[in-house]
Amino acid sequence: MNSHPINFRTYLPSTLALVIVGWGGIAALIFFSLPFVWARWGFFVLGIMALTGTALPVVYFLHRRFPTEPAAESNVIVRQALWVGVYAATLAWLQLGGLVTLYVILGLAGGLIATEYFIRLREKANRQPPVILDDNPS
């Protein structure tokens, strides 16, 4: 458990790398490739990277603005930003088959939110309480 608060500088290199590689790769795919299978899967992978990098500052800000007890660690912030990328890429993949409806959008979001809720619940349950030393034994 970290005793010092996490600042955004720790996320800045990964955010910049994900945003540059993700959005730059999507732009390169759109302008310089044909819509074959490998380009399509590359689009999904680069989309996950681009949207994860874009969501990382937003998720960090939300955790700073609305802190939880215990405070979210860096792996929680990165995982929640990754959920955003996976969600959008899954919707893009489902849209290829024309399967995206309002119920699919809400159901997929609800499933991912429930998954994150149960992961956080398990993390809180496995948390060890702090040890309080008694300086004045009776």
Side-chain angles (χ1 to χ4, degrees):
M1 185 67 60
N2 290 340
S3 60
H4 57 84
I6 299 170
N7 60 4
F8 188 70
R9 277 187 230 154
T10 58
Y11 299 106
L12 195 57
S14 58
T15 299
L16 289 176
L18 286 169
V19 166
I20 291 170
V21 172
W23 289 115
I26 287 176
L29 271 177
I30 289 172
F31 291 120
F32 302 117
S33 70
L34 297 173
F36 294 127
V37 173
W38 291 110
R40 187 177 301 161
W41 284 108
F43 174 79
F44 296 135
V45 170
L46 291 169
I48 290 172
M49 292 173 67
L51 291 169
T52 299
T54 304
L56 201 53
V58 176
V59 172
Y60 172 79
F61 171 74
L62 289 174
H63 277 281
R64 288 291 299 238
R65 179 69 179 93
F66 305 107
T68 59
E69 185 61 39
E73 295 180 6
S74 58
N75 62 340
V76 174
I77 294 172
V78 172
R79 182 180 64 227
Q80 290 177 353
L82 184 61
W83 283 127
V84 173
V86 169
Y87 175 69
T90 304
L91 286 178
W93 176 65
L94 289 171
Q95 182 59 32
L96 287 176
L99 300 174
V100 177
T101 63
L102 178 62
Y103 298 115
V104 170
I105 292 169
L106 296 177
L108 184 60
L112 292 177
I113 290 169
T115 302
E116 178 63 25
Y117 173 76
F118 288 126
I119 291 172
R120 290 286 288 158
L121 193 65
R122 182 169 185 221
E123 287 173 350
K124 288 179 186 179
N126 288 338
R127 183 175 167 267
Q128 297 295 324
V131 176
I132 299 173
L133 300 175
D134 189 15
D135 292 337
N136 216 356
S138 301

